[in-house]
């Protein structure tokens, strides 16, 4: 649970036992007893602890003695019995035998923390006997620890003595890079661009006056130059905004109206109308707080929150936050509670110093501080007061204390082990609870830093990739590189990358498209590929399934979450929720889940399967404007930022152990994107125009990673461990699916590995693989219609691809079509058996073809009804009626015909089954 807690105590009620003489003027004796304590979360027996006045241990008596030693031996024995591998049994090949005969994992030897009860795994003799492998660096010194050789001279001190950072040569920058004062390297293209990219501003020092603009640039009115692509795009890029002046761009385009119940910001965004004039700016240009009336004064019986809202005065200091910022619970002091062990609470309600208890003077109004029969009684002398670990006598009553790593049980006397692993901040990745302690370990590809106890990644240095409105930049975390990767672009927003394939995906909010480009050698734009080119409204979030090679994106304008294959040819809408505003999205292809933020009518963080199944809200309380979201795979925790609450929070993937790491309007004024790596969380802030980082477990170590950016939006961290390899469940023949094969959430051992999916407007056939038209499907709600062509598909099972007859299988099969969110002909390439194949037609039926088929049928039906009417009229004229008592009987003129003719001569025609799918197809 992070830092170790001190001894847990509870004051037991004083019981009437034999009295001992009081020595009021005798100073309390201080005894020293040896008890097990924890050093850095580990057992370190033998360290002395100072016992307070009257300190006792179970067994009676004060101070050290045989009873104390016996009790401690019993405690240690119980813990030894509880530890795996304890005893004198043989240790395994991957285990280390401690001096007392117990066994621990060999990886725990000389790792900076004591696991053996006798400390033999961390002694200098043991550590000096170890030798580092060729791929490791020896720290030397008293503790001869080994660290990966790749950590040598990486700018991080990993050895306790700092040996890994001694005698390091200065960093060498590439020829196209500029060296900053702190040793970091930035691209020379950033020099003299008006933005401080070096912390000391070395890239902007000694710059000449601006030169003449080039042929592909726009000259601002103040002589600045911006790319011609940025002119007249609705976003002012010149310092004076002249690239958007009407004389250069013509009459301004009317802004796109916001949906009902939303406010249109002057900077173009749409926010909830209830956020207007609430005292907290939510628009980038703060236009939602302009022209607002003065904040209303709360009524005399109300409390005014820091954001101007009013709550009932009786709700202040009631233990529950009623203000959004929690200001109604700040500075509260419970007058009925006394200051811990330093004060004594009288029965009459007041608090007095504990030194005034049992001093033969009345300090409480009701004399409760001077009970004559209880003062001077040492309850710890009678069986240790019933305490299982430590008994401490008080002036009035006694306390039961527990050793570190334990806490008092419900009875207030027995001690139970603390499970530190329940606290997410205890370990960086994996946590193993031990009796009275815990052990941290790292996953595959990571190594525990012996100095910081954090899991650090092995392999190449990590780098940040982030969008800066008109470009995509790459920033190495070790300071070795900072350059522009792609640009100039129109309006780069959402971002993700496929690290194994070496490609980057991004969404352009201005062009409403999703692009793909190689990570290397793509700055000129010649290798940019349009993945999704139509049917997008506002693609705010992009996430790549690097295992199954599918791309997922959110669209806040269409209120959808969609998926497509890597080429973008096959796509489907997985989530469509009216009133929703899905923003960022993160995927976990190893377990088959996706997570996304939604700041719509019901703000939430949602979770669902990568195939669209099992969707449900994960976080719904204490959330208002969730923006970026990221997943830390090793710890299985989600991290997100809230732009309205100015917070950075985390939660388990199942919704438990939620924590708020940071709540700071200064560094979280308008956070947009977030990513995490090792023990560091990074986020971008569009108002601060910077990228920040902090410790993802504690929120400490806050620093600014990049500054003076134009509009930092989405970001992704590049490192192979961020996308570990997994099994592609759809690798063989697309899983047998006719359209999309999507991984299913792994809910249990019997859960399906994947499911097939069809384009919008179609449904799965009974075989669960082919697709059929779905007449009940809702009409598309996409921004722009499109009819992309589909790649050729293999022949449908059960049909001869060269046959023009009826297929052998009665199941109707549709060929795979590239259906987009904007497609209106969702089954344009569907082929059906029967009529269409027999006639030799392929593809979709056009309007004239359908009319040529339907019109003759209508004429034939009308002619048949007319003929039948003439026949009935002739039949009535040729019928003779004979009246009998039974008026139902009728005799025709054909008397020679037997009455039973209808039973064998004719029957009702068989009812023709008509399939509407044929017409739809």
């Amino acid at each position: 649970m992070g830092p170790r807690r001190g001894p847990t105590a509870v004051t037991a009620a004083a019981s009437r036992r034999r009295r001992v003489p009081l020595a009021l003027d005798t100073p309390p004796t201080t005894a020293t007893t040896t008890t097990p304590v924890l050093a850095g979360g580990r057992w370190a027996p033998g360290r002395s602890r100072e016992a307070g006045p009257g300190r006792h241990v179970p067994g009676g008596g004060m101070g050290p003695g045989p009873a104390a030693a016996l009790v401690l031996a019993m405690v240690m024995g119980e813990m030894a019995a509880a530890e795996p591998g304890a005893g004198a049994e043989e240790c395994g090949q991957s285990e280390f035998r401690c001096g007392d005969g117990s066994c621990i994992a060999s990886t725990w030897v000389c790792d900076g923390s004591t696991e053996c009860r006798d400390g033999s795994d961390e002694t200098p003799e043991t550590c000096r006997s170890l030798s580092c492998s060729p791929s490791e660096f020896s720290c030397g010194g008293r503790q001869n620890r080994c660290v990966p050789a790749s950590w040598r001279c990486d700018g991080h001190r990993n050895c306790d003595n700092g040996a890994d950072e001694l005698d390091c040569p200065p960093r060498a920058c590439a020829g196209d890079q500029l060296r900053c004062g702190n040793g970091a390297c930035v691209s020379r293209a950033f020099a003299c661009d008006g933005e401080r990219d070096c912390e000391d501003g070395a890239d902007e020092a000694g710059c000449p006056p601006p030169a003449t603009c080039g042929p592909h640039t726009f000259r601002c009115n103040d002589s600045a130059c911006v790319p011609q692509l940025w002119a007249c795009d609705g976003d002012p890029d010149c310092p004076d905004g002249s690239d958007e002046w009407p004389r250069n761009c013509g009459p301004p385009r009317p802004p796109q109206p916001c949906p009902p119940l939303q406010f249109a910001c002057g900077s173009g965004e749409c926010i909830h109308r209830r956020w207007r004039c609430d005292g907290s700016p939510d628009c980038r240009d703060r236009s939602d707080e302009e022209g607002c009336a003065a904040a209303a004064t709360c009524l005399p019986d109300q409390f005014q929150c820091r954001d101007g809202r009013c709550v009932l005065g009786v709700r202040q200091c009631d233990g529950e936050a009623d203000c959004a910022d929690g200001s109604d619970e700040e500075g509260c002091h419970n007058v009925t509670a006394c200051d811990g062990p330093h004060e004594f609470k009288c029965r009459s309600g007041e608090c007095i110093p504990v030194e005034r208890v049992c001093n033969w003077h009345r300090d409480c109004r009701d004399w409760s501080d001077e009970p004559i029969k209880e003062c001077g009684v040492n309850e710890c002398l009678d069986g240790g007061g019933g305490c299982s670990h430590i008994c401490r006598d008080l002036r009035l009553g006694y306390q039961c204390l527990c050793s570190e790593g334990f806490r008092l049980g419900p009875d207030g006397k027995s001690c139970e082990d603390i499970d530190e692993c329940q606290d997410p901040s205890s370990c960086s990745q994996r946590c193993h609870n031990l009796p009275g302690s815990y052990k941290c370990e790292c996953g595959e590809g990571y190594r525990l830093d012996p100095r910081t106890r954090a899991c650090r990644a092995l392999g190449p240095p990590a780098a940040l990739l982030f969008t800066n409105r008109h470009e995509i930049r790459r920033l190495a975390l070790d300071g070795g590189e900072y350059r522009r990767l792609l640009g100039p672009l129109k309006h780069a927003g959402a971002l993700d990358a496929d690290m194994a394939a070496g490609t980057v995906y991004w969404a352009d909010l201005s062009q409403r498209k999703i692009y793909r480009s190689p990570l290397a050698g793509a700055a000129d734009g010649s290798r940019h590929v349009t993945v999704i080119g139509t049917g997008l409204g506002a693609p705010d979030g992009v996430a790549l399934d690097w295992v199954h090679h599918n791309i997922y994106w959110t669209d806040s304008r269409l209120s959808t979450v969609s998926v497509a294959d890597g080429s973008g040819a096959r796509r489907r809408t997985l989530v469509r929720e009216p009133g929703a505003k899905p923003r960022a999205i993160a995927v976990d292809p190893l377990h088959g889940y996706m997570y996304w933020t939604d700041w719509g009518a019901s703000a939430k963080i949602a979770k669902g399967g990568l195939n669209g199944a099992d969707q449900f809200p994960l976080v719904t309380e204490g959330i208002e404007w969730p923006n970026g979201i990221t997943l830390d795979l090793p710890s299985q925790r989600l991290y997100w930022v809230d732009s309205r609450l100015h917070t950075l929070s985390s939660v388990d993937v199942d919704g438990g152990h939620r924590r708020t790491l940071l709540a700071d309007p200064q560094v979280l004024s308008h956070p947009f994107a977030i990513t995490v790596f090792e023990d560091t969380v990074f986020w971008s802030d569009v108002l601060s125009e910077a990228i920040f980082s902090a410790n993802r477990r504690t929120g400490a170590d806050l620093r600014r990673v990049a500054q003076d950016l134009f509009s930092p939006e989405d970001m992704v961290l590049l490192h192979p461990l961020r996308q570990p390899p997994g099994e592609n469940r759809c690798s063989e023949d697309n899983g047998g699916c006719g359209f999309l094969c999507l991984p299913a959430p792994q809910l249990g051992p019997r859960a399906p590995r994947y499911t097939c999916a069809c384009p919008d407007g179609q449904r799965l056939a009974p075989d669960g693989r082919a697709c059929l038209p779905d007449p009940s499907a809702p009409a598309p709600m996409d921004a722009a219609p499109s009819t992309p062509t589909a790649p050729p598909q293999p022949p449908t099972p059960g049909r001869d691809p060269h046959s023009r007859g009826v297929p052998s299988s009665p199941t109707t099969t549709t060929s795979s079509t590239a259906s987009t969110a904007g497609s209106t002909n969702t089954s344009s390439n569907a082929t059906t058996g029967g009529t269409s194949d027999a006639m030799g037609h392929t593809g979709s039926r056009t309007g004239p073809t359908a009319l040529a088929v339907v019109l003759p049928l209508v004429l034939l039906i009308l002619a048949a009804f007319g003929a039948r009417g003439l026949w009935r009229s002739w039949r009535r004229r040729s019928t003779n009626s004979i009246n009998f008592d039974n008026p139902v009987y009728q005799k025709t003129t054909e008397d020679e015909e037997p009455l039973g003719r209808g039973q064998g001569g004719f029957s009702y025609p068989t009812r023709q089954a008509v399939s509407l799918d044929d017409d739809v197809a």
Side-chain angles (χ1 to χ4, degrees):
M1 282 191 177
R4 281 292 181 178
R5 290 170 288 265
T8 309
V10 65
T11 303
S15 59
R16 296 183 181 179
R17 294 186 176 92
R18 59 184 179 85
R19 299 186 61 192
V20 296
L22 283 175
L24 298 179
D25 299 330
T26 303
T29 59
T30 301
T32 303
T33 179
T34 302
T35 59
V37 296
L38 288 168
R42 307 294 184 269
W43 279 106
R47 299 187 184 180
S48 60
R49 300 179 58 185
E50 293 297 321
R55 179 178 177 84
H56 289 73
V57 294
M62 298 179 58
L70 176 61
V71 170
L72 290 177
M74 294 173 60
V75 172
M76 299 292 287
E78 292 177 358
M79 295 190 311
E83 290 192 28
E89 67 274 6
E90 291 294 329
C91 297
Q93 294 182 355
S94 60
E95 292 182 323
F96 171 81
R97 179 183 294 279
C98 301
D100 59 358
S102 59
C103 303
I104 64 172
S106 58
T107 57
W108 295 1
V109 179
C110 296
D111 63 349
S113 59
T114 302
E115 275 74 44
C116 292
R117 291 183 297 274
D118 57 0
S120 56
D121 59 322
E122 297 295 326
T123 61
E125 293 77 12
T126 301
C127 296
R128 281 196 295 267
S129 64
L130 298 178
S131 60
C132 300
S133 65
S135 61
E136 294 179 321
F137 172 79
S138 175
C139 294
R142 181 176 176 272
Q143 299 289 347
N144 183 29
R145 297 196 178 99
C146 303
V147 298
S150 59
W151 294 2
R152 166 77 170 146
C153 296
D154 62 349
H156 298 277
R157 180 181 172 185
N158 304 292
C159 297
D160 290 335
N161 54 8
D164 58 319
E165 297 299 321
L166 295 178
D167 302 325
C168 294
R171 185 190 305 275
C173 297
D176 60 345
Q177 293 181 332
L178 175 71
R179 184 180 180 86
C180 301
N182 60 354
C185 304
V186 301
S187 173
R188 290 191 178 274
F190 294 167
C192 300
D193 61 352
E195 299 178 359
R196 286 166 48 100
D197 300 295
C198 292
E199 291 184 3
D200 56 356
D203 58 318
E204 299 298 320
C207 294
T212 305
C213 298
H216 301 291
T217 59
F218 175 85
R219 185 179 181 86
C220 304
N221 194 56
D222 59 357
S223 300
C225 303
V226 298
Q228 185 66 42
L229 182 67
W230 299 359
C232 304
D233 64 349
D235 298 314
D237 303 293
C238 294
D240 56 3
S242 56
D243 59 318
E244 302 297 327
W245 285 357
R247 72 183 185 186
N248 297 325
C249 306
R253 292 174 297 179
Q256 190 169 2
C258 291
L261 302 180
Q262 291 193 3
F263 172 78
C265 302
S267 49
E269 313 98 277
C270 298
I271 64 173
H272 291 297
R273 184 175 297 175
R274 65 177 183 270
W275 296 354
R276 163 80 170 146
C277 296
D278 62 350
S280 175
D282 302 294
C283 296
R284 294 188 182 182
D285 58 356
R286 302 176 181 266
S287 56
D288 58 316
E289 299 300 323
E290 296 177 355
C292 299
T297 305
C298 296
L299 298 176
D301 62 341
Q302 291 180 331
F303 172 83
Q304 186 171 18
C305 304
R306 191 180 296 109
D307 58 4
R309 300 179 184 179
C310 301
V311 299
L312 293 177
V314 295
R315 296 183 178 178
Q316 182 184 11
C317 298
D318 61 351
E320 297 181 3
D322 300 288
C323 296
D325 54 8
S327 56
D328 60 316
E329 298 299 323
E330 294 179 357
C332 298
H333 179 68
N334 191 345
V335 296
T336 61
C338 297
D339 185 15
H342 305 290
E343 291 186 336
F344 174 81
K345 183 179 179 181
C346 306
R347 293 194 184 98
S348 52
E350 65 267 32
C351 298
I352 63 172
V354 70
E355 294 81 7
R356 299 183 181 179
V357 177
C358 293
N359 62 351
W360 305 105
H361 295 284
R362 186 187 73 171
D363 297 285
C364 295
R365 294 192 302 268
D366 58 355
W367 285 89
S368 56
D369 61 319
E370 301 295 333
I372 298 176
K373 295 183 179 180
E374 297 176 6
C375 286
V377 176
N378 190 339
E379 294 84 0
C380 293
L381 296 177
D382 186 4
C387 301
S388 62
H389 276 196
I390 304 169
C391 178
R392 180 186 179 187
D393 184 49
L394 301 176
R395 288 178 175 268
L396 186 62
Y398 63 99
Q399 278 183 321
C400 287
L401 303 177
C402 295
S403 303
E404 293 184 79
F406 294 86
R407 62 186 171 194
L408 286 172
D411 60 356
K413 295 185 177 181
S414 61
C415 296
E416 58 185 22
D417 176 53
I418 298 174
D419 187 358
E420 293 85 357
C421 295
Q422 294 298 318
D423 188 348
S425 64
S426 296
C427 289
S428 180
Q429 290 183 2
R430 299 176 181 174
C431 182
H432 299 279
N433 186 48
L434 302 174
S437 180
Y438 64 99
K439 178 71 178 180
C440 297
E441 290 185 338
C442 301
E444 184 179 357
Y446 293 85
R447 185 82 172 264
L448 194 67
D449 191 319
R451 192 179 67 89
T452 63
R453 316 305 302 166
C455 292
R456 292 196 55 196
L458 304 176
L464 273 178
L465 207 65
F466 62 93
T467 58
N468 195 30
R469 180 63 71 96
H470 298 303
E471 59 187 3
I472 298 177
R473 293 186 177 185
R474 178 188 177 111
L475 171 64
L477 295 184
D478 63 353
E481 180 187 31
Y482 185 28
R483 63 184 177 91
R484 182 176 64 185
L485 182 69
L486 296 173
L489 304 173
K490 195 72 172 177
H491 187 170
L495 180 72
D496 205 352
D498 187 342
M499 299 171 200
T503 55
V504 58
Y505 294 77
W506 77 94
D508 194 300
L509 295 176
S510 178
Q511 298 180 354
R512 299 182 185 179
K513 295 181 180 180
I514 297 177
Y515 295 93
R516 180 183 69 242
S517 179
L519 279 170
D524 57 355
S526 60
R527 302 176 65 183
H528 298 183
V529 177
T530 301
V531 180
I532 306 294
T534 55
L536 299 180
D540 289 333
V542 171
L544 180 76
D545 177 354
W546 64 89
V547 175
H548 305 90
H549 310 294
N550 296 323
I551 184 172
Y552 294 77
W553 72 91
T554 61
D555 197 311
S556 60
R557 183 170 298 170
L558 303 180
S559 303
T560 58
V561 178
S562 306
V563 63
D565 61 359
S567 66
R570 305 179 182 186
R571 56 191 281 189
R572 175 178 176 80
T573 302
L574 298 178
V575 180
R576 188 188 301 273
E577 181 181 350
K581 291 288 183 181
R583 229 291 290 158
I585 184 171
V587 298
D588 180 5
L590 303 182
H591 299 89
Y593 283 103
M594 62 179 177
Y595 309 86
W596 67 95
T597 58
D598 183 354
W599 62 276
S602 300
K604 62 181 175 294
I605 292 177
K607 176 181 180 179
L610 288 176
N611 59 353
D614 195 27
Q615 301 174 17
F616 62 95
L618 194 67
V619 178
T620 57
E621 298 180 356
I623 187 170
E624 293 198 29
W625 194 346
N627 251 339
I629 189 172
T630 188
L631 170 65
D632 182 52
L633 281 172
S635 64
Q636 285 292 286
R637 285 189 68 81
L638 292 167
Y639 295 80
W640 78 93
V641 286
D642 195 304
S643 296
R644 179 160 175 79
L645 300 179
H646 312 292
T647 56
L648 190 158
S649 307
S650 69
V651 71
D652 289 343
V653 292
D654 58 0
H657 299 102
R658 177 177 175 178
R659 297 187 62 206
T660 298
L661 299 177
L662 279 175
D664 189 347
Q666 300 300 320
V667 296
L668 292 164
S669 55
H670 193 100
F672 198 82
I674 186 173
T675 188
V676 66
F677 184 63
E678 294 177 343
D679 266 16
T680 305
V681 59
F682 305 85
W683 71 93
S684 62
D685 195 289
V686 294
L687 289 184
S688 301
E689 297 181 341
I691 295 177
F692 299 90
S693 70
N695 186 287
R696 69 171 178 86
R697 292 189 289 156
T698 63
D701 303 329
L702 181 66
R703 73 185 189 96
R704 192 184 299 258
V705 178
Q707 59 187 350
D708 292 328
L709 303 175
F710 180 66
S711 179
E713 296 188 7
D714 208 355
M715 60 196 312
V716 61
L717 195 136
L718 299 179
H719 194 277
L721 292 179
R722 281 286 293 170
Q723 294 182 349
E727 180 188 3
N728 187 344
R729 310 168 203 167
C730 301
S731 58
E732 296 184 5
D733 193 24
N734 196 36
C737 300
F739 193 69
L740 275 175
C741 177
L742 301 178
Q746 299 305 290
L747 301 174
R750 294 189 298 272
R753 295 166 53 80
Y754 64 88
T755 59
C756 299
C758 296
D760 294 342
Q762 297 189 24
R763 58 181 174 83
L764 284 173
D767 63 356
R769 297 184 176 183
C771 296
L772 295 174
D774 187 3
S776 62
M781 300 173 57
D782 303 323
S786 63
T787 312
T789 58
Q793 300 300 320
T796 304
R799 175 193 292 274
D800 184 356
H802 303 287
S803 173
R804 298 165 58 92
V806 180
S808 59
S809 172
T811 303
T812 302
T813 307
T814 61
S815 65
S816 301
T817 60
S819 175
T820 67
S823 298
T824 56
N825 55 339
T826 54
S827 57
S828 60
N829 291 341
T831 60
T832 61
T835 305
S836 61
D837 284 352
M839 297 176 63
H841 292 292
T842 59
S844 61
R845 297 180 178 180
T846 61
T849 303
L851 184 61
V853 174
V854 174
L855 185 57
L857 291 177
V858 173
L859 294 177
L860 288 175
I861 293 174
L862 292 177
F865 273 103
R868 188 170 185 274
L870 292 175
W871 179 80
R872 288 173 60 89
S873 177
W874 173 82
R875 180 78 179 265
R876 285 195 299 268
R877 291 194 302 267
S878 335
T879 301
N880 295 328
S881 299
I882 303 176
N883 294 327
F884 290 91
D885 292 338
N886 185 358
V888 178
Y889 181 82
Q890 289 185 339
K891 177 87 166 55
T892 66
T893 57
E894 300 174 338
D895 295 329
E896 67 275 17
E897 286 291 337
L899 295 178
R901 174 181 175 178
Q903 299 178 1
F906 64 91
S907 61
Y908 288 104
T910 58
R911 188 176 299 274
Q912 181 70 29
V914 180
S915 175
L916 297 179
D917 294 342
D918 294 340
D919 292 336
V920 175

